[in-house]
Amino acid sequence: MRKDFVELFNQADEIWTPSNYSRKSIVDSGVDFDKVQVVPNGVDPQLFKPNGDSYVIPTKKKFKFLFIGGTIFRKGIDVLLHAFTHTFSDQDDVCLFIKDMGGDTFYKGQTAREKIELIKNKPNMPEIHYYDEYMTEEQIANLYRSCDVFVSPYRGEGFSLPTLEAMACGLPVIVTDGGATDDFVDEEVGWKIPAEKRSIGTTMGDMEFAGEAFVLEPDLNALNDLIRDLYLN
């Protein structure tokens, strides 16, 4: 947490955060633990459900992996792209659909769009669909139902609402072990990628943290093996 936020948070009567992981991060930064309460996010079950319309993905590939979120370092988009392009080729009956979010707002100027386009133009690359235009919640729900597995190899999340939405639409999920999704993802609904804590220091740009900050670094080889096994079986 930012150092200047700790004093501000300690002045509040109560802090609400959506996961036990984020609660621990806040408390570890120096905020009074009695003030920090977990209030999980939720989804609309009338919209995000297994039965309903599907989004038409322009592909002939049978097996579809899905990523929804900002294409930034914290979300692990680089991990996913590396795993997908080193595990599969254009000869495999598989594709990856990436729905970028926040590129014009809170993640402005931070997207991986150019990197993804470069990858797509290389020979023998597996099929990747990148979409960054606005979609309604109904369209997003349709997109979940059009795919086979949702994957989010994140380094840091406060909750990961797309993971919960995907599950509500009937998709099994792949997420990073040890993070915020531990609150609602177990072996009955998905798979966890082993991860190790990775220090990112005490500052980021002109922002000073309350102490040494860490992210989770997903095991790339484990993710490679997992997506290959899911595709084959």
Side-chain angles (χ1 to χ4, degrees), residues 53-67:
D53 294 334
S54 297
Y55 186 83
V56 179
I57 298 175
T59 182
K60 294 182 180 179
K61 300 294 186 180
K62 181 179 179 180
F63 198 93
K64 306 174 186 69
F65 287 101
L66 173 65
F67 172 94

Side-chain angles (χ1 to χ4, degrees), residues 206-223:
D206 58 357
M207 178 174 61
E208 184 178 0
F209 298 127
E212 187 176 12
F214 296 87
V215 295
L216 295 167
E217 192 62 38
D219 186 319
L220 184 58
N221 291 329
L223 180 58

Side-chain angles (χ1 to χ4, degrees), residues 161-188:
L161 186 58
T163 300
L164 191 63
E165 292 174 345
M167 289 166 54
C169 290
L171 264 70
V173 299
I174 300 172
V175 294
T176 302
D177 190 21
T181 50
D182 279 5
D183 285 0
F184 55 92
V185 176
D186 60 21
E187 64 278 0
E188 293 185 358

Side-chain angles (χ1 to χ4, degrees), residues 58-105:
T59 182
K60 294 182 180 179
K61 300 294 186 180
K62 181 179 179 180
F63 198 93
K64 306 174 186 69
F65 287 101
L66 173 65
F67 172 94
I68 294 182
T71 54
I72 60 174
F73 171 82
R74 181 170 60 82
K75 304 283 186 177
I77 186 63
D78 58 313
V79 177
L80 176 56
L81 289 170
H82 188 282
F84 188 72
T85 57
H86 284 73
T87 302
F88 304 114
S89 74
D90 58 356
Q91 299 302 306
D92 292 303
D93 196 13
V94 62
C95 71
L96 169 64
F97 193 103
I98 298 171
K99 172 61 182 84
D100 203 346
M101 301 183 74
D104 294 326
T105 52

